[in-house]
Amino acid sequence: MKQKAWAIHFIYAGIFLLLAGGQMYAVESYHLTPSATKFLAHNVGPGPETARGALNHLVVNSGAQVRETITPPGWVAWASLSAGAILAVHGGLLVAHKK
């Protein structure tokens, strides 16, 4: 029974990666909301002690409606699709093996 539970997790992870890869393949870029851009500026990337980080914090905190655009490289979609297919098939084989 414990082995079958792991198989279901593999299948779900594979389906999630397949959907994420399909989404990244279909969409060219993602435009974030101003609040998400502010969150990223404060929590990810260079800190305010560096020149680029200080500029990022200045622009985001100025009150302007700044929106970050994220353009993932093309290989990320294919890698996600490939990993998702492998995980889903592996989980399916584990389920079939235990029957």
XYZ file of all heavy atoms in Angstrom:
740
model
N 0.817 -1.197 0.000
C 0.000 0.000 0.000
C 0.859 1.259 0.000
O 0.553 2.219 -0.661
C -0.931 -0.038 1.218
C -1.815 1.167 1.350
S -2.966 1.204 -0.018
C -3.838 2.672 0.354
N 1.971 1.233 0.745
C 2.823 2.406 0.821
C 3.455 2.713 -0.534
O 3.595 3.866 -0.910
C 3.888 2.196 1.889
C 4.667 3.430 2.190
C 5.560 3.233 3.378
C 6.229 4.546 3.703
N 6.955 4.513 4.934
N 3.818 1.686 -1.278
C 4.403 1.872 -2.608
C 3.397 2.511 -3.552
O 3.753 3.346 -4.361
C 4.861 0.514 -3.154
C 5.688 0.610 -4.399
C 7.128 0.957 -4.087
O 7.546 0.937 -2.938
N 7.879 1.291 -5.099
N 2.120 2.152 -3.433
C 1.097 2.708 -4.300
C 0.877 4.185 -3.999
O 0.609 4.974 -4.893
C -0.201 1.922 -4.129
C -1.194 2.152 -5.225
C -2.353 1.201 -5.101
C -3.201 1.256 -6.332
N -4.292 0.311 -6.288
N 1.008 4.573 -2.740
C 0.863 5.979 -2.377
C 1.957 6.815 -3.030
O 1.707 7.929 -3.500
C 0.897 6.141 -0.866
N 3.185 6.291 -3.068
C 4.261 7.013 -3.738
C 3.995 7.124 -5.230
O 4.314 8.129 -5.853
C 5.593 6.310 -3.500
C 6.233 6.733 -2.230
C 6.293 6.013 -1.079
C 6.867 7.969 -1.958
N 6.939 6.735 -0.108
C 7.305 7.948 -0.628
C 7.111 9.114 -2.714
C 7.964 8.999 -0.034
C 7.777 10.159 -2.118
C 8.193 10.096 -0.801
N 3.402 6.108 -5.803
C 3.106 6.134 -7.233
C 2.117 7.251 -7.563
O 2.269 7.945 -8.572
C 2.549 4.789 -7.676
N 1.139 7.442 -6.714
C 0.162 8.511 -6.924
C 0.846 9.873 -6.853
O 0.537 10.783 -7.632
C -0.981 8.403 -5.887
C -1.732 7.086 -6.054
C -1.920 9.583 -5.993
C -2.412 6.911 -7.386
N 1.797 10.015 -5.939
C 2.534 11.278 -5.840
C 3.343 11.534 -7.114
O 3.419 12.676 -7.581
C 3.467 11.279 -4.628
C 2.754 11.328 -3.323
N 2.038 12.421 -2.916
C 2.641 10.418 -2.335
C 1.520 12.192 -1.722
N 1.872 10.964 -1.350
N 3.951 10.502 -7.670
C 4.683 10.653 -8.922
C 3.752 11.078 -10.047
O 4.084 11.938 -10.858
C 5.379 9.346 -9.317
C 6.669 9.102 -8.607
C 6.832 7.988 -7.807
C 7.731 9.986 -8.742
C 8.025 7.753 -7.147
C 8.940 9.759 -8.102
C 9.083 8.634 -7.291
N 2.576 10.479 -10.097
C 1.606 10.817 -11.146
C 1.159 12.261 -11.005
O 1.113 13.013 -11.990
C 0.415 9.846 -11.113
C 0.873 8.441 -11.525
C -0.701 10.330 -12.032
C -0.169 7.368 -11.325
N 0.824 12.687 -9.789
C 0.377 14.070 -9.578
C 1.481 15.070 -9.892
O 1.225 16.110 -10.499
C -0.120 14.274 -8.159
C -1.474 13.676 -7.889
C -1.802 13.209 -6.640
C -2.431 13.577 -8.887
C -3.044 12.660 -6.383
C -3.674 13.024 -8.652
C -3.982 12.574 -7.394
O -5.209 12.043 -7.151
N 2.717 14.785 -9.489
C 3.835 15.681 -9.797
C 4.043 15.753 -11.308
O 4.316 16.830 -11.858
C 5.101 15.212 -9.099
N 3.913 14.623 -11.989
C 4.050 14.603 -13.442
C 2.973 15.414 -14.135
O 3.252 16.172 -15.068
N 1.735 15.284 -13.661
C 0.640 16.060 -14.256
C 0.859 17.546 -14.022
O 0.659 18.368 -14.925
C -0.711 15.588 -13.691
C -1.029 14.186 -14.223
C -1.825 16.561 -14.059
C -2.223 13.532 -13.569
N 1.298 17.911 -12.817
C 1.563 19.314 -12.515
C 2.653 19.879 -13.434
O 2.510 20.973 -13.987
C 1.969 19.478 -11.047
C 2.357 20.879 -10.697
C 1.389 21.841 -10.503
C 3.688 21.235 -10.587
C 1.735 23.146 -10.203
C 4.050 22.529 -10.282
C 3.066 23.499 -10.086
N 3.744 19.120 -13.612
C 4.820 19.589 -14.479
C 4.393 19.641 -15.942
O 4.816 20.533 -16.687
C 6.056 18.710 -14.322
C 6.853 18.929 -13.046
C 7.969 17.889 -12.930
C 7.432 20.323 -13.006
N 3.553 18.706 -16.368
C 3.036 18.754 -17.735
C 2.190 20.010 -17.954
O 2.317 20.690 -18.979
C 2.206 17.509 -18.041
C 2.982 16.238 -18.359
C 2.045 15.045 -18.390
C 3.696 16.381 -19.689
N 1.323 20.325 -16.994
C 0.494 21.527 -17.118
C 1.340 22.795 -17.072
O 1.110 23.738 -17.837
C -0.568 21.549 -16.019
C -1.664 20.493 -16.134
C -2.557 20.518 -14.902
C -2.476 20.704 -17.390
N 2.321 22.836 -16.174
C 3.191 24.013 -16.082
C 4.009 24.181 -17.361
O 4.173 25.295 -17.861
C 4.117 23.893 -14.866
N 4.522 23.086 -17.909
C 5.284 23.157 -19.151
C 4.423 23.596 -20.332
O 4.853 24.389 -21.166
N 3.210 23.089 -20.388
C 2.289 23.526 -21.447
C 1.957 25.001 -21.332
O 1.873 25.717 -22.335
N 1.782 25.471 -20.106
C 1.514 26.896 -19.877
C 2.699 27.749 -20.330
O 2.529 28.760 -21.002
C 1.235 27.127 -18.401
C 1.081 28.571 -18.008
C -0.259 29.141 -18.386
O -1.224 28.413 -18.546
N -0.315 30.442 -18.542
N 3.903 27.341 -19.962
C 5.092 28.110 -20.346
C 5.339 28.063 -21.852
O 5.859 29.012 -22.430
C 6.325 27.614 -19.589
C 6.353 28.041 -18.152
S 7.858 27.579 -17.315
C 7.506 25.891 -16.871
N 4.966 26.966 -22.480
C 5.139 26.846 -23.931
C 4.138 27.736 -24.675
O 4.459 28.312 -25.707
C 4.958 25.389 -24.366
C 5.228 25.150 -25.826
C 6.529 25.200 -26.321
C 4.199 24.891 -26.705
C 6.785 24.992 -27.663
C 4.441 24.681 -28.055
C 5.733 24.732 -28.528
O 5.984 24.532 -29.860
N 2.927 27.867 -24.124
C 1.877 28.628 -24.796
C 2.000 30.135 -24.582
O 1.569 30.910 -25.426
C 0.507 28.159 -24.298
N 2.577 30.569 -23.468
C 2.643 31.990 -23.141
C 4.067 32.488 -23.356
O 5.031 31.866 -22.916
C 2.195 32.222 -21.676
C 2.328 33.668 -21.295
C 0.771 31.744 -21.483
N 4.195 33.637 -24.010
C 5.525 34.167 -24.312
C 6.151 34.866 -23.112
O 7.342 34.717 -22.859
C 5.404 35.157 -25.469
C 6.733 35.611 -26.011
C 6.548 36.430 -27.270
O 5.859 35.953 -28.192
O 7.090 37.536 -27.304
N 5.370 35.648 -22.364
C 5.901 36.351 -21.196
C 4.791 36.551 -20.179
O 3.604 36.493 -20.507
C 6.512 37.695 -21.588
O 5.512 38.549 -22.103
N 5.185 36.798 -18.949
C 4.255 37.010 -17.851
C 4.438 38.427 -17.314
O 5.562 38.844 -17.014
C 4.510 35.998 -16.724
C 4.310 34.571 -17.155
C 5.372 33.800 -17.598
C 3.051 33.998 -17.129
C 5.182 32.497 -17.998
C 2.856 32.693 -17.533
C 3.920 31.947 -17.969
O 3.739 30.655 -18.378
N 3.342 39.175 -17.183
C 3.378 40.526 -16.635
C 2.848 40.458 -15.205
O 1.696 40.088 -14.986
C 2.518 41.476 -17.464
C 2.972 41.576 -18.883
N 4.071 42.298 -19.258
C 2.480 41.016 -20.012
C 4.237 42.196 -20.561
N 3.291 41.409 -21.047
N 3.691 40.819 -14.252
C 3.315 40.748 -12.848
C 2.551 41.993 -12.426
O 2.688 43.061 -13.020
C 4.564 40.583 -11.982
C 5.429 39.364 -12.270
C 6.642 39.369 -11.361
C 4.631 38.098 -12.085
N 1.772 41.870 -11.375
C 1.071 43.012 -10.808
C 2.069 43.898 -10.066
O 3.165 43.444 -9.712
C -0.026 42.554 -9.838
O 0.599 41.865 -8.751
C -1.037 41.646 -10.524
N 1.719 45.147 -9.808
C 2.632 46.008 -9.044
C 2.964 45.466 -7.655
O 4.096 45.594 -7.189
C 1.876 47.336 -8.955
C 1.009 47.350 -10.168
C 0.605 45.915 -10.360
N 1.999 44.829 -6.986
C 2.286 44.275 -5.655
C 3.243 43.085 -5.748
O 4.124 42.920 -4.901
C 0.995 43.869 -4.951
O 0.325 42.872 -5.685
N 3.106 42.257 -6.785
C 4.037 41.143 -6.964
C 5.428 41.654 -7.326
O 6.440 41.110 -6.872
C 3.529 40.198 -8.048
N 5.499 42.725 -8.120
C 6.782 43.326 -8.461
C 7.464 43.878 -7.216
O 8.671 43.713 -7.024
C 6.579 44.444 -9.499
O 5.968 43.890 -10.658
C 7.888 45.078 -9.888
N 6.688 44.515 -6.347
C 7.241 45.056 -5.100
C 7.743 43.921 -4.201
O 8.811 44.020 -3.593
C 6.175 45.875 -4.382
C 6.681 46.677 -3.243
C 5.586 47.594 -2.715
C 6.158 48.565 -1.716
N 5.160 49.511 -1.248
N 6.981 42.835 -4.121
C 7.399 41.679 -3.324
C 8.720 41.120 -3.837
O 9.628 40.821 -3.055
C 6.307 40.604 -3.353
C 6.692 39.337 -2.649
C 6.606 39.244 -1.282
C 7.168 38.251 -3.368
C 6.977 38.086 -0.621
C 7.537 37.090 -2.721
C 7.440 37.004 -1.347
N 8.850 40.967 -5.158
C 10.083 40.443 -5.732
C 11.259 41.385 -5.489
O 12.373 40.942 -5.211
C 9.914 40.210 -7.233
C 9.113 38.984 -7.645
C 9.002 38.921 -9.156
C 9.736 37.716 -7.113
N 11.023 42.682 -5.578
C 12.107 43.640 -5.375
C 12.624 43.590 -3.942
O 13.818 43.772 -3.706
C 11.629 45.052 -5.704
N 11.744 43.324 -2.987
C 12.160 43.298 -1.583
C 12.707 41.944 -1.141
O 13.517 41.888 -0.213
C 11.000 43.692 -0.676
C 10.643 45.142 -0.777
N 11.508 46.153 -0.443
C 9.515 45.755 -1.195
C 10.930 47.314 -0.638
N 9.716 47.104 -1.098
N 12.290 40.851 -1.761
C 12.637 39.522 -1.260
C 13.535 38.690 -2.170
O 14.092 37.693 -1.724
C 11.358 38.726 -0.976
C 10.531 39.378 0.104
O 11.050 39.793 1.128
N 9.236 39.504 -0.135
N 13.663 39.051 -3.439
C 14.446 38.266 -4.385
C 15.389 39.216 -5.121
O 15.038 40.349 -5.411
C 13.526 37.558 -5.411
C 14.321 36.754 -6.405
C 12.532 36.669 -4.696
N 16.555 38.748 -5.412
C 17.488 39.561 -6.177
C 18.470 40.305 -5.295
O 18.610 40.012 -4.110
N 19.153 41.292 -5.882
C 20.184 42.009 -5.124
C 19.576 42.852 -4.008
O 18.488 43.399 -4.140
C 20.859 42.885 -6.181
C 19.861 43.029 -7.262
C 19.042 41.770 -7.249
N 20.289 42.941 -2.916
C 19.827 43.713 -1.770
C 20.014 45.206 -1.994
O 20.681 45.639 -2.940
N 19.447 46.015 -1.114
C 19.549 47.471 -1.285
C 20.955 48.025 -1.076
O 21.212 49.177 -1.373
C 18.585 48.016 -0.224
C 18.377 46.933 0.737
C 18.618 45.643 0.016
N 21.877 47.208 -0.589
C 23.248 47.685 -0.408
C 24.043 47.714 -1.710
O 25.092 48.340 -1.780
C 23.984 46.837 0.647
C 24.129 45.384 0.304
C 22.923 44.537 0.691
O 22.000 45.035 1.337
O 22.912 43.358 0.309
N 23.554 47.050 -2.759
C 24.221 47.097 -4.065
C 23.596 48.211 -4.902
O 22.498 48.694 -4.616
C 24.076 45.759 -4.810
O 22.690 45.524 -5.078
C 24.638 44.603 -4.000
N 24.284 48.610 -5.944
C 23.787 49.711 -6.783
C 22.491 49.322 -7.490
O 21.520 50.086 -7.501
C 24.854 50.097 -7.804
N 22.467 48.129 -8.073
C 21.247 47.692 -8.783
C 20.091 47.488 -7.817
O 18.959 47.851 -8.113
C 21.529 46.408 -9.551
C 20.309 45.857 -10.245
C 20.662 45.228 -11.558
N 19.530 44.537 -12.134
C 18.732 45.100 -13.038
N 18.947 46.302 -13.465
N 17.715 44.407 -13.529
N 20.366 46.906 -6.659
C 19.316 46.709 -5.663
C 18.768 48.014 -5.134
O 17.559 48.158 -4.934
N 19.640 49.004 -4.909
C 19.185 50.317 -4.444
C 18.302 50.973 -5.491
O 17.277 51.584 -5.154
C 20.381 51.188 -4.124
N 18.675 50.842 -6.764
C 17.851 51.402 -7.835
C 16.503 50.697 -7.909
O 15.461 51.350 -8.066
C 18.598 51.284 -9.170
C 17.891 51.876 -10.381
C 17.686 53.367 -10.203
C 18.676 51.583 -11.636
N 16.493 49.378 -7.799
C 15.231 48.623 -7.796
C 14.324 49.072 -6.659
O 13.131 49.307 -6.860
C 15.495 47.128 -7.679
C 15.973 46.521 -8.971
O 15.889 47.132 -10.021
N 16.496 45.310 -8.888
N 14.872 49.189 -5.460
C 14.072 49.596 -4.307
C 13.566 51.027 -4.463
O 12.430 51.325 -4.090
C 14.885 49.457 -3.016
C 15.009 48.047 -2.557
N 14.067 47.430 -1.771
C 15.958 47.103 -2.806
C 14.425 46.185 -1.535
N 15.575 45.956 -2.156
N 14.378 51.901 -5.022
C 13.971 53.287 -5.232
C 12.806 53.367 -6.212
O 11.821 54.063 -5.966
C 15.154 54.115 -5.740
C 14.850 55.577 -6.063
C 14.587 56.330 -4.769
C 15.980 56.187 -6.846
N 12.904 52.655 -7.319
C 11.847 52.695 -8.340
C 10.561 52.078 -7.819
O 9.465 52.623 -8.005
C 12.322 51.979 -9.635
C 11.176 51.786 -10.600
C 13.439 52.758 -10.274
N 10.662 50.943 -7.139
C 9.461 50.253 -6.658
C 8.783 51.042 -5.543
O 7.556 51.115 -5.475
C 9.824 48.823 -6.188
C 8.673 48.186 -5.460
C 10.205 47.977 -7.383
N 9.561 51.651 -4.669
C 8.986 52.393 -3.545
C 8.595 53.820 -3.894
O 8.074 54.537 -3.043
C 9.971 52.403 -2.371
C 10.149 51.026 -1.780
O 9.245 50.211 -1.821
N 11.334 50.762 -1.253
N 8.814 54.256 -5.126
C 8.501 55.632 -5.508
C 7.003 55.873 -5.653
O 6.575 57.006 -5.779
C 9.213 55.999 -6.805
O 8.651 55.261 -7.873
N 6.213 54.848 -5.674
C 4.763 55.000 -5.827
C 4.293 54.794 -7.252
O 3.100 54.781 -7.520
N 5.212 54.671 -8.187
C 4.833 54.426 -9.573
C 4.320 52.993 -9.722
O 4.699 52.099 -8.974
C 6.033 54.641 -10.490
N 3.439 52.796 -10.677
C 2.881 51.465 -10.932
C 3.847 50.683 -11.828
O 3.646 50.566 -13.031
C 1.507 51.587 -11.588
C 0.460 52.219 -10.712
C 0.129 51.332 -9.526
O 0.061 50.117 -9.639
N -0.088 51.938 -8.377
N 4.903 50.178 -11.231
C 5.926 49.424 -11.957
C 5.474 47.978 -12.073
O 5.032 47.379 -11.095
C 7.284 49.511 -11.226
C 8.341 48.739 -11.984
C 7.684 50.948 -11.031
N 5.582 47.428 -13.283
C 5.197 46.030 -13.514
C 6.376 45.296 -14.131
O 6.891 45.694 -15.170
C 4.000 45.953 -14.440
C 2.759 46.615 -13.864
C 1.635 46.475 -14.802
N 1.236 45.075 -14.779
C 0.019 44.664 -15.064
N -0.893 45.500 -15.411
N -0.260 43.380 -15.007
N 6.769 44.225 -13.474
C 7.875 43.395 -13.963
C 7.346 42.444 -15.038
O 6.229 41.932 -14.950
C 8.461 42.589 -12.810
C 9.603 41.701 -13.182
C 10.886 42.466 -13.424
O 11.067 43.553 -12.856
O 11.712 41.953 -14.196
N 8.148 42.216 -16.064
C 7.816 41.251 -17.111
C 8.837 40.126 -17.051
O 10.041 40.365 -17.100
C 7.855 41.917 -18.494
O 6.914 42.995 -18.512
C 7.497 40.927 -19.581
N 8.346 38.893 -16.934
C 9.205 37.719 -16.878
C 9.041 36.953 -18.188
O 7.927 36.582 -18.561
C 8.861 36.821 -15.680
C 9.089 37.579 -14.379
C 9.666 35.541 -15.718
C 8.663 36.821 -13.152
N 10.153 36.734 -18.871
C 10.149 35.962 -20.112
C 11.019 34.720 -19.898
O 12.247 34.808 -19.946
C 10.706 36.808 -21.276
O 9.972 38.021 -21.340
C 10.568 36.071 -22.586
N 10.395 33.554 -19.657
C 11.210 32.350 -19.433
C 11.842 31.872 -20.737
O 11.256 32.016 -21.808
C 10.197 31.329 -18.902
C 8.878 31.802 -19.378
C 8.969 33.285 -19.529
N 13.049 31.312 -20.658
C 13.667 30.769 -21.873
C 12.882 29.560 -22.385
O 12.158 28.898 -21.634
C 15.067 30.361 -21.416
C 15.051 30.364 -19.942
C 13.895 31.195 -19.496
N 13.014 29.293 -23.662
C 12.239 28.224 -24.290
C 12.537 26.839 -23.747
O 11.661 25.972 -23.712
N 13.764 26.607 -23.291
C 14.124 25.270 -22.827
C 13.422 24.911 -21.523
O 13.286 23.720 -21.211
C 15.631 25.134 -22.676
C 16.247 26.047 -21.662
C 16.794 27.269 -21.891
C 16.371 25.805 -20.262
N 17.244 27.812 -20.729
C 17.000 26.936 -19.701
C 16.016 24.759 -19.420
C 17.275 27.041 -18.350
C 16.295 24.869 -18.071
C 16.914 25.987 -17.545
N 12.981 25.887 -20.744
C 12.324 25.587 -19.473
C 11.003 24.855 -19.712
O 10.666 23.907 -18.997
C 12.101 26.882 -18.655
C 11.292 26.614 -17.411
C 13.419 27.514 -18.297
N 10.265 25.289 -20.728
C 8.995 24.626 -21.042
C 9.231 23.177 -21.461
O 8.532 22.266 -20.999
C 8.271 25.390 -22.150
N 10.219 22.972 -22.325
C 10.498 21.607 -22.784
C 11.020 20.727 -21.653
O 10.678 19.543 -21.568
C 11.485 21.622 -23.942
C 10.858 22.135 -25.196
C 11.078 23.341 -25.788
C 9.865 21.483 -25.983
N 10.291 23.462 -26.899
C 9.533 22.342 -27.052
C 9.213 20.257 -25.896
C 8.593 22.010 -28.017
C 8.283 19.924 -26.862
C 7.978 20.790 -27.898
N 11.830 21.300 -20.768
C 12.334 20.517 -19.632
C 11.198 20.128 -18.702
O 11.137 18.991 -18.210
C 13.391 21.317 -18.876
N 10.273 21.049 -18.460
C 9.138 20.747 -17.598
C 8.227 19.693 -18.230
O 7.751 18.786 -17.541
C 8.355 22.029 -17.310
O 7.247 21.768 -16.500
N 7.975 19.823 -19.517
C 7.154 18.817 -20.209
C 7.815 17.441 -20.173
O 7.141 16.425 -19.933
C 6.916 19.242 -21.660
C 5.913 20.370 -21.880
C 6.005 20.878 -23.313
C 4.515 19.893 -21.567
N 9.114 17.398 -20.392
C 9.834 16.122 -20.396
C 9.834 15.477 -19.010
O 9.551 14.280 -18.870
C 11.266 16.318 -20.857
O 11.297 16.858 -22.148
N 10.148 16.274 -17.984
C 10.164 15.737 -16.626
C 8.768 15.293 -16.203
O 8.606 14.262 -15.543
C 10.707 16.782 -15.655
N 7.752 16.051 -16.581
C 6.375 15.669 -16.246
C 5.960 14.369 -16.899
O 5.325 13.519 -16.279
N 6.331 14.194 -18.166
C 5.992 12.948 -18.854
C 6.695 11.764 -18.203
O 6.087 10.702 -17.989
C 6.366 13.055 -20.325
N 7.962 11.944 -17.863
C 8.714 10.850 -17.240
C 8.123 10.486 -15.881
O 7.940 9.305 -15.559
C 10.203 11.226 -17.123
C 10.835 11.238 -18.511
C 10.952 10.272 -16.201
C 12.205 11.837 -18.555
N 7.800 11.486 -15.063
C 7.227 11.206 -13.744
C 5.855 10.541 -13.844
O 5.553 9.614 -13.085
C 7.122 12.495 -12.922
C 8.411 13.001 -12.309
C 8.186 14.351 -11.665
C 8.934 12.009 -11.289
N 5.013 11.026 -14.756
C 3.679 10.439 -14.895
C 3.759 8.988 -15.367
O 3.050 8.109 -14.848
C 2.845 11.274 -15.867
N 4.628 8.722 -16.326
C 4.779 7.338 -16.816
C 5.372 6.446 -15.729
O 4.933 5.312 -15.535
C 5.642 7.311 -18.100
C 6.046 5.908 -18.467
C 4.883 7.963 -19.241
N 6.347 6.972 -14.997
C 6.958 6.193 -13.913
C 5.913 5.852 -12.847
O 5.850 4.702 -12.386
C 8.117 6.973 -13.297
C 8.776 6.271 -12.153
N 9.468 5.084 -12.311
C 8.837 6.577 -10.842
C 9.924 4.699 -11.129
N 9.560 5.591 -10.224
N 5.102 6.811 -12.468
C 4.036 6.545 -11.485
C 3.023 5.542 -12.018
O 2.572 4.659 -11.283
N 2.676 5.663 -13.293
C 1.754 4.704 -13.875
C 2.321 3.292 -13.907
O 1.612 2.309 -13.658
N 3.614 3.175 -14.177
C 4.245 1.863 -14.178
C 4.315 1.284 -12.773
O 4.177 0.065 -12.593
C 5.637 1.946 -14.790
C 5.694 2.190 -16.294
C 7.124 2.396 -16.756
C 5.030 1.048 -17.045
N 4.525 2.138 -11.764
C 4.535 1.640 -10.387
C 3.158 1.117 -9.979
O 3.051 0.099 -9.308
C 4.986 2.738 -9.422
C 6.463 3.081 -9.417
C 6.719 4.255 -8.483
C 7.296 1.885 -8.985
N 2.117 1.823 -10.395
C 0.751 1.368 -10.088
C 0.468 0.056 -10.790
O -0.088 -0.879 -10.215
C -0.292 2.441 -10.488
C -1.692 1.884 -10.443
C -0.179 3.652 -9.573
N 0.855 -0.046 -12.069
C 0.610 -1.269 -12.840
C 1.416 -2.441 -12.288
O 0.953 -3.589 -12.320
C 0.955 -1.032 -14.302
N 2.597 -2.170 -11.794
C 3.462 -3.238 -11.246
C 2.894 -3.820 -9.959
O 3.043 -5.003 -9.697
C 4.863 -2.688 -11.023
C 5.809 -3.675 -10.427
N 6.252 -4.777 -11.124
C 6.399 -3.754 -9.202
C 7.070 -5.487 -10.355
N 7.174 -4.875 -9.192
N 2.219 -3.018 -9.169
C 1.691 -3.473 -7.871
C 0.369 -4.208 -7.990
O -0.081 -4.799 -7.037
C 1.537 -2.277 -6.913
C 2.846 -1.797 -6.372
C 3.453 -2.879 -5.536
C 4.875 -2.568 -5.145
N 5.497 -3.663 -4.448
N -0.274 -4.168 -9.137
C -1.579 -4.849 -9.267
C -1.430 -6.316 -9.441
O -0.541 -6.928 -9.736
C -2.363 -4.267 -10.448
C -2.922 -2.917 -10.113
C -3.797 -2.453 -11.229
C -4.435 -1.127 -10.864
N -5.315 -0.641 -11.835
